[in-house]
């Protein structure tokens, strides 16, 4: 019942993990949504092994200005995560999420993504395409952060079961 936060550019451990995808603040005046997600994941995680929460921010909450390493870290995290939690409180002025759109398109078919789009964000109409894409590929779509966390936990639990059964299958052979 432990949650470990893995910040941008830190080594990504093996084991159950959730990547927190979505817009990152570009100014100290804008609060990150990720601390709330980390707290909700911590409360929801009930398994004995550690859940690694992959956070594409620095511990202070902002993205690095030089981000070649950041991009590589994010791609690796997206590839390795058990679940990818997209939370998109779209605000074109402060949290535009343009990179998030691309990231979602890359993983929408993976079976590891969940899309959270609050209907009361400043620009919810800018999430319509992503919602439609998610529904096309059977990706869970939610409207609140707690619902999004719950859907991500189901994916992680399913990933654990799949990995365990695959390991058992390999062992039997």
């Amino acid at each position: 019942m432990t949650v470990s936060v893995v910040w941008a550019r830190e080594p990504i451990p093996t084991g159950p993990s959730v990547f927190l995808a979505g817009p990152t603040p570009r100014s100290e005046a804008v609060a990150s949504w990720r601390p709330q997600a980390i707290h909700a994941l911590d409360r929801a995680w009930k398994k004995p092994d550690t859940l690694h929460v992959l956070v594409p921010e620095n511990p202070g909450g902002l993205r690095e200005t030089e981000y070649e390493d950041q991009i590589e870290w994010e791609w690796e995290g997206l590839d390795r995560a058990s679940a990818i939690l997209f939370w998109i409180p779209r605000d074109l002025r402060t949290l535009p999420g343009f990179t998030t759109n691309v990231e979602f398109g890359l993983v929408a078919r993976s079976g590891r993504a969940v899309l959270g789009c609050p209907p009361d964000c400043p620009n919810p109409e800018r999430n319509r395409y992503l919602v439609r894409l998610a529904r096309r590929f059977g990706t869970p779509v939610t409207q609140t952060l707690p619902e999004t966390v719950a859907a991500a936990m189901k994916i992680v639990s399913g990933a654990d079961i799949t990995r365990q059964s695959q390991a058992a299958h390999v062992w039997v052979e």
Side-chain angles (χ1 to χ4, degrees):
M1 297 196 302
T2 302
V3 170
S4 168
V5 176
V6 181
W7 299 101
R9 296 173 312 285
E10 291 181 348
I12 298 172
T14 58
S17 60
V18 176
F19 187 99
L20 297 183
T24 298
R26 295 186 167 110
S27 148
E28 290 183 23
V30 178
S32 174
W33 57 271
R34 288 185 177 99
Q36 291 173 287
I38 293 165
H39 179 70
L41 287 164
D42 186 46
R43 286 194 348 238
W45 186 246
K46 303 296 183 205
K47 297 195 175 201
D49 42 352
T50 299
L51 175 68
H52 304 287
V53 182
L54 310 179
V55 180
E57 296 181 11
N58 292 321
L62 295 176
R63 186 182 297 230
E64 193 67 32
T65 56
E66 296 289 327
Y67 78 39
E68 290 302 316
D69 291 340
Q70 174 86 20
I71 292 169
E72 293 297 326
W73 184 90
E74 289 186 24
W75 288 346
E76 181 181 356
L78 289 166
D79 285 344
R80 292 181 51 191
S82 306
I84 305 163
L85 184 156
F86 283 86
W87 180 247
I88 309 176
R90 182 92 60 195
D91 184 333
L92 293 180
R93 291 179 305 101
T94 61
L95 292 170
F98 300 131
T99 302
T100 299
N101 294 343
V102 174
E103 290 172 340
F104 185 74
L106 289 171
V107 301
R109 294 181 181 196
S110 70
R112 296 178 299 122
V114 58
L115 178 64
C117 297
D120 59 349
C121 67
N123 298 110
E125 73 282 359
R126 298 297 182 174
N127 287 330
R128 286 184 312 209
Y129 184 91
L130 298 180
V131 169
R132 180 113 184 227
L133 184 65
R135 289 191 173 130
R136 179 178 181 140
F137 295 124
T139 299
V141 178
T142 60
Q143 295 187 343
T144 69
L145 191 53
E147 290 171 340
T148 310
V149 165
M153 290 292 89
K154 285 182 183 177
I155 292 170
V156 172
S157 294
D160 288 347
I161 291 166
T162 301
R163 286 189 186 120
Q164 288 170 3
S165 66
Q166 286 173 345
H169 181 69
V170 171
W171 180 256
V172 170
E173 290 178 330

